[in-house]
Amino acid sequence: MKIVLLGPPGAGKGTQALRLVENRNIVQLSTGEMLRAAAAAGTPVGLRAKAVMDGGGLVSDEIVVDIVSERIDAPDCANGFILDGFPRTVPQARALDTMLQQKGLRLDAVIEMVVDEAALLARIENRAREAVAAGKEVRRDDNPEAFKQRLEAYRAQTAPVSAFYGQSGRLHRVTGMLSIEAVAEEIDAALDAVTV
Ligand code: AMP
């Protein structure tokens, strides 16, 4: 199955994606993770992306589209994948359609996690606290300033992606404010109704 998971920062996309990976034998493709790995490795693309990411802005469409296109060709994607954090702009969504078509593939479903924005900052702060407690590094963009920018980027550039998929009848909306299990159930119900 090939799935897109949409939702603002802090909506719980990563958590739900991990569950889908386990239950549906597909891989999670998080462009945020890929870009952080490229930045940590100090690759030219990673270094270019790093400054933008630290400020909460969006990396160029060209960079992320190339990264995703290359990653989708890997053998572990053959059974399907869940795109987490991509597409984030309408041009990326169009590029995804084109790239999948060229590869003879098709998107099966787009799941949008709808959340109450007021609760998001608290979630991000919690994520940073949990990382500290677990002895892990806190994401450089999990702070109020960068978060405001990320939310702004979401409103301006990613919200239209949901309308784009809505127009073609591929969008399923779920309530992201419920418990992890309840959100998972909603996602499962939406995916089970899709014929692959
Ligand atoms: P995430 O882990 O999905 O929250 O992404 C972290 C950061 O990586 C974002 O704030 C952007 O700077 C960058 N990023 C991740 N995915 C994309 C994308 N599809 N398009 C542009 N920038 C992205």
Side-chain angles (χ1 to χ4, degrees):
M1 218 176 190
K2 288 162 275 311
I3 307 164
V4 163
L5 202 50
L6 284 181
K13 297 189 294 295
T15 306
Q16 294 297 334
L18 281 180
R19 222 193 108 268
L20 291 167
V21 165
E22 280 170 19
N23 298 347
R24 294 184 185 254
N25 190 28
I26 53 180
V27 290
Q28 175 193 13
L29 306 184
S30 156
T31 41
E33 289 293 332
M34 292 182 216
L35 291 167
R36 281 189 287 279
T43 67
V45 162
L47 294 177
R48 262 165 69 201
K50 191 175 180 306
V52 179
M53 292 167 74
D54 285 352
L58 289 188
V59 175
S60 78
D61 289 341
E62 196 198 342
I63 288 181
V64 282
V65 167
D66 281 355
I67 288 182
V68 170
S69 179
E70 208 181 299
R71 181 66 185 85
I72 285 177
D73 292 336
D76 65 344
C77 290
N79 195 45
F81 47 79
I82 174 152
L83 288 164
D84 161 11
F86 178 90
R88 255 186 166 88
T89 64
V90 172
Q92 287 181 18
R94 290 191 201 282
L96 177 63
D97 276 347
T98 308
M99 125 190 11
L100 290 178
Q101 204 178 14
Q102 283 167 351
K103 295 177 196 288
L105 304 172
R106 187 174 60 95
L107 199 57
D108 298 303
V110 179
I111 304 281
E112 181 182 7
M113 298 177 64
V114 181
V115 290
D116 168 11
E117 281 193 8
L120 292 177
L121 181 58
R123 281 198 184 181
I124 290 283
E125 284 172 342
N126 194 38
R127 180 156 85 188
R129 266 195 302 275
E130 279 175 4
V132 171
K136 292 186 194 150
E137 205 179 320
V138 177
R139 274 176 55 168
R140 290 171 62 92
D141 58 358
D142 273 353
N143 64 70
E145 236 106 284
F147 178 74
K148 240 181 90 195
Q149 288 306 316
R150 287 159 69 200
L151 202 53
E152 199 42 56
Y154 185 82
R155 282 196 205 107
Q157 287 165 281
T158 312
V161 174
S162 137
F164 172 81
Y165 285 123
Q167 281 157 14
S168 55
R170 291 179 284 182
L171 184 70
H172 305 263
R173 284 204 165 95
V174 302
T175 319
M177 295 311 294
L178 308 172
S179 68
I180 291 175
E181 293 73 26
V183 176
E185 270 176 36
E186 276 199 55
I187 293 177
D188 281 337
L191 293 180
D192 290 343
V194 172
T195 38
V196 180

